[in-house]
Amino acid sequence: MTDLTHSQLCLIAEKFLKQNGFGVVFHDRYQARLETGEQPDAIGFRNNVSLLIECKTSRSDFLADKKKKFRVNQNLGMGDWRFYLCPPDVIRVEDLPAGWGLLYAHGNRVRKIHGFPTNIRLITEKPFKSNKQAECDFLYGALRRMVIRGHFDDIYIKL
C-alpha cells in the first residue's frame, strides 16, 4: 500500500463525516480567513454539534500541531468533538491531548480507534466548548461565496 497524502486523508475524513450523519461537511480545500488562524482539515456540522478532524501523515506534523494557538488555548478551536486521522501508529492513544479522539486510515477506510461517541453522546457529552464564533465565521464565508457566485438563491424552495 502506498502512503496516503495529506489531501487524500482530508477527502477520506470528509467522506467519513458524511457517512456518520454530518450533513454539511468541508475539507481542507475550503479556506476561510479566521481570526484564530485555524484551517480545519475536515469539519462536519449536524444539528447541535460540530466535529473536527485533523489529518496527520507524520509524527512530526502531529507534534508541531500542539504548538498552534488554538490547540494551546482549546477554547479558540473549532469542533465540539475533535479527532486526529492518520495512518496506523503515527499517533497512539496515549499521545492524544485530553478530550481528543483517534481514527486510523486503512486505505480509503476509517477505523475508530478511540473516543468516537454514540449518536446520543454526540449531543449530550461534548468534550469541548467549541469556538462557535469561529464556526459561524467559517460558515458565513462559505455562504458569502455562494452569494458572490450567484448560487445562494438555490437554497430556496422553487414555487
Side-chain angles (χ1 to χ4, degrees):
M1 183 178 102
T2 60
D3 291 330
L4 292 168
T5 66
H6 184 267
S7 293
Q8 289 170 321
L9 280 175
C10 292
L11 292 173
I12 291 167
E14 174 193 32
K15 181 180 174 185
F16 174 81
L17 286 166
K18 288 176 179 177
Q19 290 172 336
N20 282 275
F22 288 85
V24 176
V25 178
F26 296 87
H27 61 76
D28 71 328
R29 284 188 38 215
Y30 172 65
Q31 299 286 306
R33 290 189 186 134
L34 299 177
E35 197 172 296
T36 64
E38 187 170 16
Q39 293 292 324
D41 289 334
I43 188 166
F45 298 92
R46 61 191 265 193
N47 195 25
N48 202 32
V49 68
S50 58
L51 193 150
L52 173 95
I53 299 177
E54 275 300 305
C55 299
K56 300 298 173 192
T57 59
S58 70
R59 189 152 182 82
S60 61
D61 187 20
F62 167 69
L63 295 172
D65 193 63
K66 294 179 180 186
K67 298 174 186 171
K68 296 175 180 175
K69 70 178 181 180
F70 44 85
R71 298 285 183 259
V72 173
N73 181 349
Q74 297 281 343
N75 292 330
L76 293 177
M78 291 192 279
D80 299 316
W81 291 86
R82 300 174 189 169
F83 287 82
Y84 284 105
L85 172 65
C86 62
D89 300 321
V90 168
I91 303 168
R92 297 177 306 269
V93 172
E94 57 269 21
D95 298 327
L96 295 172
W100 281 74
L102 182 60
L103 307 166
Y104 281 168
H106 294 274
N108 287 328
R109 299 182 59 113
V110 174
R111 195 166 115 225
K112 300 170 185 173
I113 301 301
H114 175 74
F116 204 85
T118 60
N119 270 333
I120 192 68
R121 284 187 57 228
L122 199 60
I123 304 299
T124 61
E125 299 178 28
K126 300 172 187 174
F128 295 99
K129 185 179 186 314
S130 70
N131 184 340
K132 293 301 176 190
Q133 185 61 57
E135 291 181 359
C136 284
D137 293 347
F138 187 84
L139 291 167
Y140 170 77
L143 289 170
R144 183 70 184 133
R145 287 181 194 181
M146 288 183 67
V147 168
I148 291 168
R149 294 177 181 154
H151 297 291
F152 188 76
D153 288 342
D154 294 344
I155 68 168
Y156 295 108
I157 296 172
K158 304 283 189 226
L159 296 179

